[in-house]
Amino acid sequence: QVQLVESGGGLVQAGESLRLTCAASGSTLSIYDSAWYRQAAGKQRELVAVIYSGGAINYANSVKGRFTISRDNGKKMMYLQMNSLKPEDTAVYYCNADIAAPATGWGRRNYWGQGTQVTVSS
């Protein structure tokens, strides 16, 4: 029953930047692998970036050099810094993570946020 909530989306012009935040509810959570996905209208959901519990990071080729995924395990927050935005980055961005809540007896499960809209205009 963990909840992920994204924020930081909005409307920007091409070349500008946005920083997305994903907050996990609760204060006794353990976050394992976490990722950002996006889904443009009429397209398949795409993995944008993933940060593994061991620290490794992978990016989609389309965002390499422009986006940076990070997280603060103490605050239970995940971030996606998006620079040099392009119109083709327009999509709903979703936070995804494997999370456990050992203090409440919850095992590792996968969760999705509700999504936040990013629109990049020309």
Side-chain angles (χ1 to χ4, degrees):
Q1 295 186 323
V2 172
Q3 184 178 15
L4 301 180
V5 179
E6 301 97 334
S7 62
L11 174 63
V12 298
Q13 293 185 337
E16 296 183 341
S17 298
L18 284 173
R19 189 191 193 198
L20 305 183
T21 297
C22 175
S25 64
S27 60
T28 59
L29 306 178
S30 296
I31 302 176
Y32 299 93
D33 305 340
S34 60
W36 288 93
Y37 289 77
R38 68 186 182 187
Q39 187 166 20
K43 295 186 177 181
Q44 297 283 96
R45 188 169 296 186
E46 172 192 21
L47 177 64
V48 176
V50 57
I51 180 167
Y52 297 97
S53 59
I57 296 173
N58 288 333
Y59 294 98
N61 288 333
S62 59
V63 307
K64 286 181 179 177
R66 299 188 298 119
F67 290 11
T68 302
I69 188 172
S70 62
R71 70 196 223 182
D72 186 327
N73 290 329
K75 295 181 178 179
K76 304 297 186 287
M77 305 277 280
M78 291 79 78
Y79 308 97
L80 185 68
Q81 178 67 44
M82 304 184 294
N83 298 329
S84 302
L85 283 162
K86 304 175 180 179
E88 49 264 45
D89 295 319
T90 296
V92 177
Y93 284 72
Y94 298 91
C95 180
N96 177 266
D98 280 359
I99 300 173
T104 56
W106 299 347
R108 179 173 175 169
R109 301 172 70 179
N110 187 256
Y111 297 88
W112 288 93
Q114 82 288 351
T116 185
Q117 177 71 48
V118 172
T119 302
V120 184
S121 64
S122 60

